[in-house]
Amino acid sequence: MRRSIYIETYGCQMNFADTEIVNGILNEQGYELAKDVDTADAIFMNTCAIRDNAEQRIYGRLSNFEHLKKRNPHLVIGILGCMAERLRSSLLEENSSVDIVCGPDEYRRLPALIDEAFQGEKGIRTQLSRVETYNDIVPLRTDGISAWVSVMRGCDKFCTYCVVPFTRGRERSRTLEGIVGEVRELVGRGFREVTLLGQNVNSYLDGTNDFATLLEAVAAIDPELRVRFTTSHPQDMSPRLIDAIAGRPNICSFIHLPFQSGSDRILELMNRTYTRAHYLELVGRIRARIPGVSMSTDVIAGFPTETEDDHRDTLSLMEELRYDGAFMFKYSPREKTKAWKMGDDVPDDVKGRRLEEIIELQRRISYENNKALIGGTERILLEGPSKRSQEEWMGRTDTNKSVIVPKAGFSVGQYIDVRIVSATSATLFGEIVDEVSTRAA
Ligand code: SAH
Ligand code: SF4
Ligand code: F3S
């Protein structure tokens, strides 16, 4: 009898891409993918450890699975991903329902771990690797418009607050040939957009080729393919990379470039390796070279020792940059990191209030930026149905903004030109002005 496996994924896009790799490995070994938890012989969670609340969510979900296991004692439960790597054997020791713990560089061992678990043996694999990139594994994806393609793994930056260097290990890159081959196949299957992924995607280096070369090679595959990438670190935003984005119409004019804090003192304590002035100078160069570029960022509120002045520096940097979007977080202390030893001295209510101010400011700026687009024309790629209505599509602009339009006989995967008629802080609404176009930009 073929056993069936169900995987739930949490955390960043790298984890979603990893789940496709795991599915590829399991599929190859003859496992079936279960449609839902109730019919699965084994349930896995691919986990995130970035902040405490991410982990608490996993424990909550685990207790649901424990109930299932009471009804079906043969059910196998496994933890994959960053929590597996961070907590290792303590996950087995403290959660009797867990049978398998497998870190992000050990997924080739999963079939063996699963076989043992079905025979009643618990197992754990959490070795990190300096070379594993799963370059040869074909990720199992369902057909669609957009695909995630992981191009490098790990992080060597060691920002003092961050657990990723401990959960994902050292940086390593796939080969350019491997990535280009995979994207060619995706294009053949009808995908219209790829997002190249890495914790520091722009520090990609396969020995010969850097990220600018990789982006150009991927963009050259097909002018109808949109190419996106995330996440970039300011330190690796080379002039050649900026030129590559400017020079190829189908490399999207959208850069997610986390600054984390607007205070030089905090940036130094975070080990971000740039100052506010460096960051502003870099953004100035990017905007001058790539007209119409859209940018977004990550921000942390309440890093150890952060004062009201530091917080105001963050708000003023946001005002100055006027980005289109931001992911905004309360600082969460993580064991093993340098910042852990700095204490967690900003009280939770102060962190919460600062975060609220940051969110409110960003909402206002996003709304103003979106409102300024009303009346203009945008080319969008139709990606799927709108959440609100069966009669509408959701598409995205080259600058990564969601646009809702009437279906009007068009299909998913087509590029169409729309006039923007209204806007909220998160969404644009458009009307169709032109026939289908065959070009990404
Ligand atoms: N490699 C990417 C992002 C990694 S994690 C980068 O450097 O840009 C995504 C975001 O989570 C980070 O940018 C940061 O804003 C946030 N983050 C990471 N560790 C955190 C922590 N301990 N507390 C709160 N936010 C954190
Ligand atoms: Fe974490 Fe910094 Fe690496 Fe991003 S660059 S993953 S924030 S250590
Ligand atoms: Fe979370 Fe790991 Fe990604 S900690 S953010 S899933 S790399």
Side-chain angles (χ1 to χ4, degrees):
M1 187 193 70
R2 294 224 306 169
R3 309 263 201 182
S4 71
I5 316 267
Y6 182 82
I7 308 183
E8 248 174 38
T9 311
Y10 297 82
C12 64
Q13 281 118 9
M14 301 278 310
N15 252 16
F16 284 82
D18 276 4
T19 292
E20 294 175 341
I21 288 169
V22 170
N23 284 339
I25 292 170
L26 295 180
N27 186 52
E28 184 90 336
Q29 297 290 320
Y31 288 99
E32 224 173 278
L33 297 177
K35 295 269 179 300
D36 55 67
V37 279
D38 297 314
T39 56
D41 298 303
I43 300 174
F44 287 93
M45 280 186 284
N46 192 359
T47 62
C48 174
I50 198 83
R51 285 169 291 274
D52 186 58
N53 58 10
E55 295 197 350
Q56 294 313 320
R57 242 178 110 197
I58 301 291
Y59 288 123
R61 192 66 178 136
L62 184 59
S63 68
N64 295 343
F65 297 151
E66 278 161 7
H67 289 300
L68 289 178
K69 195 159 178 160
K70 285 205 182 95
R71 271 190 278 145
N72 169 15
H74 298 294
L75 180 67
V76 165
I77 297 180
I79 307 282
L80 313 177
C82 291
M83 263 175 94
E85 194 60 49
R86 191 177 91 75
L87 297 165
R88 303 187 177 194
S89 59
S90 68
L91 274 175
L92 288 176
E93 288 147 18
E94 287 162 25
N95 302 278
S96 59
S97 62
V98 174
D99 303 289
I100 294 173
V101 171
C102 185
D105 286 348
E106 294 268 45
Y107 294 146
R108 290 178 200 268
R109 309 259 191 188
L110 255 185
L113 285 168
I114 295 173
D115 289 344
E116 284 159 22
F118 281 131
Q119 282 154 33
E121 245 179 87
K122 295 193 181 225
I124 173 164
R125 289 280 181 181
T126 54
Q127 188 71 48
L128 285 171
S129 161
R130 284 180 177 273
V131 292
E132 179 64 275
T133 61
Y134 302 109
N135 200 37
D136 57 314
I137 302 281
V138 183
L140 191 67
R141 301 181 171 95
T142 41
D143 281 332
I145 298 305
S146 289
W148 307 109
V149 178
S150 125
V151 304
M152 57 82 70
R153 301 177 72 83
C155 179
D156 291 348
K157 292 282 192 292
F158 286 92
C159 302
T160 56
Y161 50 81
C162 185
V163 78
V164 169
F166 304 96
T167 63
R168 292 272 169 175
R170 297 291 61 77
E171 280 182 13
R172 65 221 101 115
S173 297
R174 292 176 61 186
T175 62
L176 180 138
E177 293 73 25
I179 297 160
V180 166
E182 184 177 337
V183 175
R184 274 219 181 90
E185 212 196 280
L186 291 170
V187 169
R189 274 171 62 188
F191 282 89
R192 289 300 194 105
E193 177 180 83
V194 291
T195 304
L196 307 185
L197 294 178
Q199 281 303 344
N200 287 292
V201 75
N202 53 342
S203 75
Y204 173 90
L205 192 66
D206 77 349
T208 324
N209 305 293
D210 66 3
F211 190 59
T213 308
L214 175 69
L215 257 189
E216 282 173 338
V218 171
I221 294 171
D222 182 352
E224 282 198 52
L225 179 75
R226 272 189 175 173
V227 184
R228 299 186 184 279
F229 54 94
T230 199
T231 295
S232 305
H233 192 290
Q235 195 185 319
D236 301 309
M237 208 67 222
S238 69
R240 250 173 53 71
L241 175 53
I242 301 170
D243 284 345
I245 303 166
R248 290 268 182 187
N250 63 329
I251 301 178
C252 289
S253 302
F254 172 68
I255 304 176
H256 181 65
L257 195 69
F259 64 71
Q260 314 294 1
S261 168
S263 152
D264 280 343
R265 196 181 63 83
I266 297 293
L267 286 171
E268 169 94 45
L269 286 176
M270 286 177 161
N271 188 33
R272 285 294 291 184
T273 72
Y274 51 83
T275 62
R276 178 188 177 107
H278 283 139
Y279 188 90
L280 280 167
E281 188 268 332
L282 172 61
V283 174
R285 272 194 289 125
I286 291 172
R287 285 180 163 163
R289 185 74 184 85
I290 315 171
V293 67
S294 165
M295 298 188 65
S296 65
T297 193
D298 293 349
V299 190
I300 298 177
F303 187 81
T305 78
E306 186 187 74
T307 62
E308 286 303 314
D309 277 350
D310 295 320
H311 169 60
R312 274 192 290 273
D313 285 345
T314 294
L315 294 174
S316 74
L317 183 57
M318 292 172 69
E319 286 272 17
E320 206 162 329
L321 293 167
R322 294 190 64 78
Y323 277 176
D324 286 319
F327 296 105
M328 300 155 281
F329 312 101
K330 254 196 229 180
Y331 171 70
S332 170
R334 311 310 285 140
E335 250 177 296
K336 280 199 188 169
T337 63
K338 275 201 173 155
W340 173 263
K341 300 186 199 84
M342 299 176 197
D344 182 21
D345 59 350
V346 180
D348 193 60
D349 58 329
V350 175
K351 277 186 200 167
R353 195 252 308 145
R354 288 180 188 167
L355 180 65
E356 272 311 307
E357 289 174 11
I358 288 169
I359 291 172
E360 197 37 52
L361 173 60
Q362 185 56 50
R363 202 184 342 240
R364 175 168 67 72
I365 295 170
S366 300
Y367 179 55
E368 289 168 0
N369 286 357
N370 281 351
K371 240 182 6 187
L373 298 174
I374 294 173
T377 312
E378 299 280 340
R379 175 155 304 167
I380 63 171
L381 171 62
L382 296 178
E383 294 186 10
S386 119
K387 280 189 208 118
R388 337 183 280 192
S389 153
Q390 287 293 313
E391 308 306 311
E392 294 170 327
W393 289 130
M394 191 283 285
R396 269 192 301 161
T397 65
D398 163 270
T399 53
N400 206 36
K401 290 174 184 279
S402 299
V403 188
I404 307 296
V405 290
K407 280 196 176 165
F410 292 108
S411 329
V412 158
Q414 290 182 321
Y415 291 100
I416 58 171
D417 288 340
V418 299
R419 181 176 302 113
I420 305 305
V421 292
S422 64
T424 67
S425 62
T427 314
L428 301 172
F429 298 86
E431 60 186 21
I432 288 145
V433 291
D434 209 352
E435 289 300 300
V436 179
S437 170
T438 54
R439 289 251 164 187

